[in-house]
Amino acid sequence: MELTVLGCATPYPQPGQPCSGYLITEDDTHVVLDCGSGTFAALQNHVSPAEVTALWISHLHPDHSADLLAWSNWALNTPGAPKISVYGPSGWADRLVHMLTGTDDATLVRETFTVHELHDGHTAIHGPLALTSRAVVHSVPTFGVRVESPTAHLAYSGDTEPCPALRSLADNTDVFLCEAGTVKPSRYHTTPDQAAETALGAHAKHLLLTHLAPDLDPHSVRVSDILTTIVTPGWRWTSDV
Ligand SMILES: [Zn+2]
């Protein structure tokens, strides 16, 4: 399994720093987790969108979902574009069609994408990748995901405060990709220390801190007792197997 960070900025993109997006690859299967602002352009540095079979969206805040519009415009303007599966919180297709057409008629979105709505415990299989979604705790309906393949187990937090579902997602993972969207413990986000606590409790092997709060200085982050990396756009992890 290979993880490529397309972007991890919050709450808006900056030059060379797209918002949340992660490309997961195993053999010829490519799945994208989240498509925040700027990630669709970043994706094309690595694979053609036509090679991606599924797009999974944690929640509908723009720093995780805004490039659904870019995906749509690509699909609508690319003859023969494959109809990829898109997984997201309930109502995502209706929200998208409002932005695209100003109407309630989701036909265009359903013709462009295979529409799936997530629920706690939702599972999906794409090639060698199995995705299990869990509802986590954020200011809007939000999911985290666990991705399993024959070579690795990875978990991605979405945006959440520490919660039992987050810990179960991270259970015995090779890499636990966890947001650190707040400096101090607060509702709806996780601090670096809380991410480390969750990773240790879940026996994750490697903690990847992402989506750092804008006022969180990466140099101030001191996490002990677990292998930790603060990821940046273009950062890549590959399983040993
Ligand atoms: Zn976010």
Side-chain angles (χ1 to χ4, degrees):
M1 184 188 293
E2 190 170 78
L3 159 70
T4 305
V5 177
L6 303 176
C8 48
T10 179
Y12 53 83
Q14 295 183 46
Q17 296 184 50
C19 289
S20 302
Y22 307 94
L23 171 64
I24 310 287
T25 297
E26 177 105 17
D27 302 331
D28 295 332
T29 300
H30 305 281
V31 170
V32 172
L33 308 180
D34 276 343
C35 63
S37 325
T39 54
F40 188 72
L43 173 71
Q44 294 166 73
N45 288 325
H46 305 284
V47 293
S48 161
E51 296 175 77
V52 174
T53 56
L55 173 57
W56 179 97
I57 294 165
S58 63
H59 66 294
L60 297 180
H61 281 156
D63 56 334
H64 298 258
S65 66
D67 270 10
L68 267 174
L69 289 165
W71 274 95
S72 302
N73 266 359
W74 169 79
L76 292 168
N77 290 283
T78 303
K83 189 173 178 178
I84 71 165
S85 289
V86 180
Y87 301 87
S90 179
W92 72 262
D94 295 329
R95 295 268 289 269
L96 177 60
V97 84
H98 274 290
M99 293 291 285
L100 285 169
T101 69
T103 74
D104 294 335
D105 182 1
T107 306
L108 180 71
V109 169
R110 291 183 181 278
E111 284 174 355
T112 308
F113 302 118
T114 302
V115 174
H116 303 272
E117 294 195 337
L118 296 173
H119 56 80
D120 190 34
H122 179 281
T123 60
I125 307 275
H126 285 271
L129 301 176
L131 284 69
T132 304
S133 301
R134 291 296 314 273
V136 292
V137 181
H138 194 43
S139 55
V140 296
T142 301
F143 295 87
V145 68
R146 182 179 174 99
V147 184
E148 299 188 350
S149 81
T151 65
H153 293 178
L154 170 152
Y156 168 49
S157 62
D159 278 1
T160 184
E161 62 186 62
C163 62
L166 184 64
R167 183 154 163 171
S168 86
L169 284 168
D171 185 53
N172 280 294
T173 43
D174 297 286
V175 278
F176 173 39
L177 179 62
C178 188
E179 68 118 304
T182 184
V183 178
K184 295 179 182 158
S186 60
R187 293 178 76 189
Y188 307 142
H189 285 289
T190 297
T191 68
D193 284 343
Q194 289 173 328
E197 198 176 313
T198 300
L200 282 165
H203 305 291
K205 293 192 183 77
H206 189 172
L207 172 63
L208 308 179
L209 289 176
T210 190
H211 209 47
L212 264 56
D215 53 347
L216 178 55
D217 175 6
H219 301 293
S220 73
V221 175
R222 298 270 182 278
V223 171
S224 53
D225 301 328
I226 185 165
L227 175 62
T228 304
T229 303
I230 298 175
V231 303
T232 50
W235 189 87
R236 188 171 274 184
W237 172 83
T238 308
S239 58
D240 305 331
V241 185

